Amino acid sequence: MGKTEVEIQVYGAEQICASCVNLPSSKETYEWLEAALKRKFPDQLFKIVYIDIFDPPADREKQEFSRRVIEEEMFYPVVAIGGEIVGEGNPKLKTIVSEMKKFGYKSE
């Protein structure tokens, strides 16, 4: 099965969401997730990007998703793979790993 390089999107903001006060910041979660996934899937290509919901890149899809996070008052960071939300507020590594396996990734 040919696998495509998955893009994991971490939507967040500098300010920690009100309900997530004792949790790491979106940026810290993004960095932790990147390191953890590189250990889980060594030598397998994937892309992980951080998107500031209040200043998203000039990509319509990312801008619309950012607007959704704000309007629906989701707990951020929100982790999405292929447009599907796989984690919110305090994302679970296990959930993200099993989602990646659906795309053909093999964990160590």
Side-chain angles (χ1 to χ4, degrees), residues 10 49 63 78 83:
V10 181
V49 292
Q63 288 176 343
V78 175

Coordinates of all heavy atoms in Angstrom, one line a residue, residues 10 49 63 78 83:
V10 N -1.7 21.3 14.0 CA -1.9 21.7 15.4 C -2.4 23.1 15.4 O -1.6 24.0 15.1 CB -0.6 21.5 16.2 CG1 -0.9 21.9 17.7 CG2 -0.1 20.1 16.2
V49 N 2.5 20.7 11.4 CA 2.5 22.2 11.3 C 1.7 22.8 12.4 O 0.7 22.2 12.8 CB 2.0 22.7 9.9 CG1 3.0 22.3 8.8 CG2 0.6 22.1 9.6
Q63 N -7.5 28.6 7.1 CA -8.2 29.8 7.7 C -9.6 29.4 8.1 O -10.1 29.9 9.2 CB -8.3 30.9 6.6 CG -6.9 31.6 6.4 CD -7.0 32.6 5.2 OE1 -7.9 32.6 4.4 NE2 -5.9 33.4 5.2
V78 N -6.1 22.1 18.9 CA -6.9 21.2 18.2 C -5.9 20.5 17.2 O -5.3 21.2 16.4 CB -8.1 21.8 17.5 CG1 -8.8 20.8 16.6 CG2 -9.0 22.5 18.5
G83 N -8.2 16.8 7.9 CA -9.4 17.5 8.2 C -10.3 16.9 9.3 O -11.3 17.4 9.7

